[in-house]
């Protein structure tokens, strides 16, 4: 049976990373996940110290902390390079997969599905976010995003060239598009819970408008640089 390497890109997640690690350890099945690789992109809030304190406790599986240049694509590619598992599972630091997520992923791989994600729900009761989460049960390309996490065999990941490091944002969706293009993507019908903190910060409708705008711009051929500039102007500012 194949093992899974969990890869988490991190940047200033001191408040969240311990909760995610505890959740993963509490929801994993025995021996199927030998390692969790956390790739830090230059945190300045004490995230690395938080990880080091966590490592002093008796934890399973092995937790590896790597340092990388800033940028989720670069961080996740570095994690993949160090991964020992035959399956890579990319997870955001504020997303929490369901119980026995590793068994669910391995079952899909054994059934011939080489890549995919989970359904998603936000930790927020706003009706639009509830609807957006409900829509993730469908395989429609427009319903995908990195917050749903991504699993993929290491072989397929390498064949596709990994994450395109030109993308400072939208790197998850770029890889998903490549997977949809070869009809190699499935949705596991169990719910992952992700944080709505960015919606809470900017407002649901304002942020959703900008996300739709980024999606449409990419659809019409906008470059990685164009998308990043738009993100910096309207969301990151």
């Amino acid at each position: 049976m194949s093992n899974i390497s969990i890869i988490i890109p991190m940047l200033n997640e001191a408040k969240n990373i311990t909760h995610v690690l505890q959740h993963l350890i509490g929801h994993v099945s025995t021996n199927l996940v030998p390692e969790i690789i956390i790739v830090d992109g230059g945190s300045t809030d004490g995230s690395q110290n938080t990880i080091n304190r966590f490592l002093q406790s008796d934890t399973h599986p092995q937790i590896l902390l790597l340092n990388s240049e800033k940028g989720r694509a670069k961080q996740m590619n570095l994690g993949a390079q160090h991964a020992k598992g035959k399956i890579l599972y990319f997870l955001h630091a504020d997303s929490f997969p369901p119980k026995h997520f590793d068994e669910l992923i391995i079952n899909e791989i054994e059934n011939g599905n080489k890549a995919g994600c989970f359904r998603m729900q936000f930790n927020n009761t706003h009706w639009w976010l509830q609807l957006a989460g409900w829509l993730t049960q469908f395989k429609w390309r427009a319903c995908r995003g990195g917050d749903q996490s991504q699993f993929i065999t290491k072989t397929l990941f390498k064949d596709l060239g990994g994450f395109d490091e030109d993308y400072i944002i939208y790197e998850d969706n770029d890889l998903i598009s490549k997977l949809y293009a070869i009809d190699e993507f499935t949705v596991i019908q169990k719910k992952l819970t992700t944080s709505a903190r960015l919606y809470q910060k900017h407002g649901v409708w304002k942020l959703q408008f900008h996300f739709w705008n980024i999606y449409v711009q990419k659809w019409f051929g906008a470059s990685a640089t164009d998308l990043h500039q738009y993100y910096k102007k309207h969301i990151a500012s």
Side-chain angles (χ1 to χ4, degrees):
M1 183 175 288
S2 298
N3 286 336
I4 301 172
S5 293
I6 301 175
I7 301 169
I8 304 174
M10 179 177 74
L11 182 65
N12 295 330
E13 293 288 355
K15 295 181 179 179
N16 297 307
I17 193 63
T18 297
H19 298 301
V20 173
L21 292 175
Q22 290 172 336
H23 179 90
L24 291 171
I25 292 168
H27 287 70
V28 74
S29 301
T30 305
N31 298 326
L32 296 179
V33 179
E35 62 183 1
I36 300 173
I37 302 173
I38 302 167
V39 190
D40 186 65
S43 294
T44 57
D45 69 339
S47 292
Q48 294 206 17
N49 292 333
T50 300
I51 296 296
N52 289 329
R53 286 195 298 269
F54 191 84
L55 291 175
Q56 295 173 7
S57 61
D58 183 17
T59 61
H60 179 84
Q62 176 185 355
I63 298 173
L64 176 64
L65 176 61
L66 301 176
N67 293 302
S68 167
E69 293 182 52
K70 181 180 177 181
R72 276 206 307 243
K74 294 178 180 179
Q75 291 169 242
M76 291 188 288
N77 281 343
L78 180 63
Q81 292 170 18
H82 285 79
K84 299 175 182 176
K86 293 183 178 180
I87 304 168
L88 307 176
Y89 181 45
F90 298 100
L91 182 71
H92 289 184
D94 60 355
S95 294
F96 300 80
K99 189 77 173 178
H100 304 312
F101 64 91
D102 50 336
E103 287 186 354
L104 295 168
I105 290 172
I106 288 174
N107 286 341
E108 292 297 333
I109 297 294
E110 292 180 344
N111 287 332
N113 296 312
K114 298 177 182 178
C117 68
F118 288 97
R119 287 183 61 178
M120 184 191 75
Q121 62 184 3
F122 286 101
N123 63 347
N124 188 289
T125 58
H126 188 285
W127 73 267
W128 171 255
L129 297 182
Q130 292 290 304
L131 175 60
W134 180 81
L135 289 170
T136 63
Q137 67 184 291
F138 303 107
K139 199 179 175 180
W140 304 329
R141 171 64 188 87
C143 295
R144 301 281 74 82
D147 285 340
Q148 295 169 251
S149 71
Q150 292 186 46
F151 70 87
I152 184 171
T153 64
K154 185 185 290 186
T155 298
L156 180 56
F157 183 76
K158 289 181 177 179
D159 288 345
L160 292 176
F163 290 100
D164 186 340
E165 296 185 3
D166 287 339
Y167 285 87
I168 307 300
I169 66 159
Y170 215 75
E171 74 293 326
D172 299 297
N173 285 277
D174 178 68
L175 180 61
I176 290 170
S177 293
K178 294 175 183 176
L179 291 166
Y180 268 75
I182 60 174
D183 195 24
E184 193 61 79
F185 202 93
T186 191
V187 180
I188 299 176
Q189 296 299 312
K190 295 290 184 180
K191 293 179 181 178
L192 168 149
T193 301
T194 195
S195 172
R197 57 183 174 173
L198 204 57
Y199 285 95
Q200 293 166 342
K201 177 181 177 181
H202 293 280
V204 170
W205 298 118
K206 179 180 178 181
L207 184 62
Q208 193 62 64
F209 170 79
H210 290 312
F211 280 162
W212 278 332
N213 208 339
I214 289 171
Y215 181 86
V216 171
Q217 287 187 39
K218 179 63 168 62
W219 182 268
F220 283 102
S223 70
T225 301
D226 292 335
L227 299 182
H228 185 219
Q229 291 299 322
Y230 183 92
Y231 183 90
K232 285 198 301 181
K233 180 179 179 180
H234 297 285
I235 301 175
S237 60

